[in-house]
Amino acid sequence: MRDDEQAILEVSLTDTTALYGAYMSFLKNGGLFVATHQGIGLGQEVLLLLSLMDEPEKLPVAGKVVWLTPEGAQGNRQAGIGVEFSEQDAGISAKIENYLGGALSSERLTHTL
């Protein structure tokens, strides 16, 4: 995929365990780890079509790739990308954190840290 093409990825996070594992609260606007094998590079713009918990509508969330976990990464980590939410979609972090509640202070491992 060319760097100037916007990738569109469908992401379904329908339980708190999956949401906790994917959410990246440490990014300025928040973000998500998305498991993918697509050739998407750092800095590339992406559009996530996010199915979040039991919400009936997919949420379109714009972002940029800020993290890569390649195939065969150390520790058998899931291959994928970290997407930081755009300024206009940063509000999705509050929605995610509301779903996660007290789990945010957990010591459980995530896909990123």
Side-chain angles (χ1 to χ4, degrees):
M1 179 169 288
R2 293 188 344 235
D3 287 345
D4 61 343
E5 290 181 23
Q6 183 181 45
I8 299 173
L9 300 169
E10 290 195 34
V11 180
S12 181
L13 299 167
T14 56
D15 64 67
T16 54
T17 301
L19 186 57
Y20 174 82
Y23 183 54
M24 298 190 298
S25 63
F26 55 87
L27 295 175
K28 178 182 173 194
N29 299 321
L32 288 173
F33 175 84
V34 179
T36 183
H37 298 285
Q38 288 187 28
I40 300 173
L42 279 174
Q44 188 167 347
E45 300 288 327
V46 296
L47 178 65
L48 304 179
L49 299 176
L50 179 60
S51 296
L52 191 57
M53 304 304 275
D54 56 358
E55 295 189 15
E57 304 272 327
K58 289 184 180 177
L59 305 169
V61 181
K64 181 172 24 173
V65 177
V66 296
W67 179 292
L68 294 175
T69 302
E71 292 283 339
Q74 187 175 22
N76 292 323
R77 290 211 173 259
Q78 173 82 41
I81 58 174
V83 177
E84 181 175 15
F85 303 142
S86 66
E87 290 277 335
Q88 72 263 20
D89 287 329
I92 194 73
S93 290
K95 184 179 286 243
I96 289 171
E97 289 175 9
N98 187 47
Y99 279 119
L100 291 176
L104 284 172
S105 59
S106 174
E107 296 294 317
R108 290 181 296 165
L109 293 176
T110 68
H111 290 294
T112 55
L113 296 175

